[in-house]
Amino acid sequence: MRVPPPGRSREPARPPEGLSARVPVEQRGPGLDRDAVRLLVSRGAEVTHHAFRELPLLLRAGDLLVVNTSPTLAAAVDGRIGHARVVVHFSTHGDDGRWAVEVREPDGQGTTRARAGTRAGTEVVLPRAGLLVLEEPLSPRGERLWWARPAGDVLGMLRAWGRPIRYSYTEQDQPLSAYQTVFALPAPDGSGSAEMPSAARPFTARLVAELVSRGVQFAPIALHTGVASAEAHEPPYPERFAVPEASARLLNAVKAAAGRVIAVGTTAVRAVESAAGPDGVVRAAGGWTDLVVTPERGVRVVDGLLTGLHEPEASHLLMLEAVAGRAAVGRAYDEALRGLYLWHEFGDVHLILPDETAHTARCDGNPW
């Protein structure tokens, strides 16, 4: 019997395998674009069903969307340990030149599975005679991710030999372009995310233009996501982030005007909340964040959240509960299952908007 994570009394039910989005929506039929996914909307106890293209009608002038500009890397590379074939997932670039990596093995179906027996000193041979030496586990919580020292230019190798990380619920390999969002910008140092900041995937240039025409504002941030665990959902590891001065000023201005700050993705929540002081004021910040947003910690800046649908063990659900409350998240996931919404990075999305009564009370300074 699985014990619920601390602070959680009820986990959403696990979605059936048939509800995994196996290909991007634009490959499911002629004439479809990225915004042809479904949108589940939660407002406190109320849950409604929409098309994502209706998002401009669900927001209002003065709302602020916080968007992650991190590009997705082709972070999976084939290698060998001795005579054994392995796949290395490059997760995070450290300050000392090392990379946090996960070493997996092919599963015979085009994807990978966890690999046992990894230990310090293991050498992984990579393309172009590259070599990767595993040095120490990233965390005392387990040995899934390792700090490893590469010989050579990792980013150049990823550009030449890498491919996007793919999980077993997807049907086939996709080009890297399928994993880039409309907000992705090249980082000056070539860094990016090991996995797509997928909540923003349904946005198109046309939809962004319509939102802007209706008075919705955008605040760019960057958070470079690491590799998630396909087998055991763990709390997020430290990740690199940046909240620019212009975005910090815009966030504070919207909060001062009693506007709504809506994060596009859990990555945007982590970045903005990492830059907010106990007083709720956002200041330009960057570097590493190890913040884990839970109901106990709460949120200081974010009023709403646009996100994908997460597995019941995922630590991201604690963040959703911090924004919406445990009961509201459970109710929304029940509705998503009844409505046959699709899960994962190519699936449907969930918009959590603040309960207007509670939001007005907070803006008036009344905690009740």
Side-chain angles (χ1 to χ4, degrees):
M1 177 179 177
R2 185 175 67 246
V3 177
R8 184 180 301 168
S9 60
R10 177 185 182 276
E11 290 181 350
R14 175 174 292 281
E17 186 176 341
L19 292 185
S20 294
R22 298 179 63 79
V23 296
V25 62
E26 59 270 26
Q27 297 177 17
R28 297 177 205 154
L32 296 180
D33 205 342
R34 289 185 174 207
D35 59 5
V37 295
R38 300 170 68 194
L39 179 64
L40 183 77
V41 179
S42 302
R43 295 182 185 85
E46 180 188 7
V47 180
T48 55
H49 305 271
H50 303 268
F52 186 78
R53 289 170 178 166
E54 296 177 60
L55 182 64
L57 304 177
L58 297 165
L59 302 180
R60 61 196 184 205
D63 283 345
L64 178 64
L65 293 177
V66 184
V67 296
N68 189 355
T69 62
S70 177
T72 307
L73 300 175
V77 177
D78 292 326
R80 287 189 176 274
I81 296 177
H83 296 292
R85 292 179 57 213
V86 297
V87 178
V88 179
H89 290 174
F90 283 85
S91 179
T92 304
H93 189 197
D95 293 332
D96 58 0
R98 297 187 299 176
W99 279 78
V101 302
E102 182 180 19
V103 180
R104 298 173 66 85
E105 61 185 14
D107 62 2
Q109 300 175 353
T111 53
T112 62
R113 59 188 169 220
R115 182 180 187 274
T118 304
R119 54 183 178 271
T122 297
E123 295 185 351
V124 184
V125 178
L126 298 171
R128 290 184 178 173
L131 189 67
L132 189 71
V133 180
L134 306 186
E135 293 190 347
E136 60 182 330
L138 183 66
S139 167
R141 294 196 298 263
E143 297 185 350
R144 182 178 68 86
L145 289 172
W146 286 74
W147 282 117
R149 192 166 298 278
D153 175 18
V154 169
L155 291 172
M157 180 185 62
L158 297 183
R159 287 191 293 270
W161 297 93
R163 61 184 179 276
I165 291 173
R166 175 188 160 203
Y167 291 115
S168 59
Y169 50 77
T170 55
E171 189 172 285
Q172 60 193 32
D173 286 342
Q174 297 289 341
L176 184 59
S177 59
Y179 292 87
Q180 303 294 6
T181 75
V182 72
F183 304 112
L185 295 173
D189 61 357
S191 58
S193 290
E195 296 184 354
M196 171 177 53
S198 56
R201 191 183 190 279
F203 284 87
T204 62
R206 181 200 61 78
L207 189 67
V208 171
E210 183 177 352
L211 287 163
V212 171
S213 73
R214 290 175 175 268
V216 176
Q217 304 178 83
F218 290 82
I221 58 85
L223 186 138
H224 301 312
T225 67
V227 177
S229 169
E231 288 82 28
H233 296 276
E234 307 147 333
Y237 290 95
E239 294 168 315
R240 290 178 180 272
F241 82 105
V243 175
E245 177 66 37
S247 293
R249 288 199 303 267
L250 184 54
L251 282 156
N252 292 328
V254 168
K255 296 298 287 186
R260 302 186 300 183
V261 173
I262 299 167
V264 178
T266 57
T267 60
V269 177
R270 195 181 200 196
V272 168
E273 294 293 328
S274 296
D279 56 359
V281 175
V282 181
R283 298 170 177 85
W288 293 89
T289 177
D290 59 1
L291 176 66
V292 179
V293 178
T294 65
E296 290 73 27
R297 189 267 187 190
V299 287
R300 298 168 178 171
V301 180
V302 171
D303 300 301
L305 172 61
L306 180 72
T307 182
L309 296 165
H310 303 285
E311 298 283 1
E313 304 94 337
S315 60
H316 293 311
L317 285 176
L318 291 174
M319 182 184 289
L320 270 62
E321 292 170 4
V323 176
R326 191 171 303 134
V329 172
R331 185 176 300 108
Y333 271 67
D334 288 343
E335 283 293 311
L337 287 171
R338 277 194 289 270
L340 303 180
Y341 279 70
L342 296 181
W343 257 247
H344 303 305
E345 66 266 32
F346 297 137
D348 298 316
V349 282
H350 178 199
L351 175 62
I352 299 171
L353 291 174
D355 177 85
E356 288 303 310
T357 303
H359 181 69
T360 302
R362 285 202 306 274
C363 296
D364 291 341
N366 177 5
W368 306 107

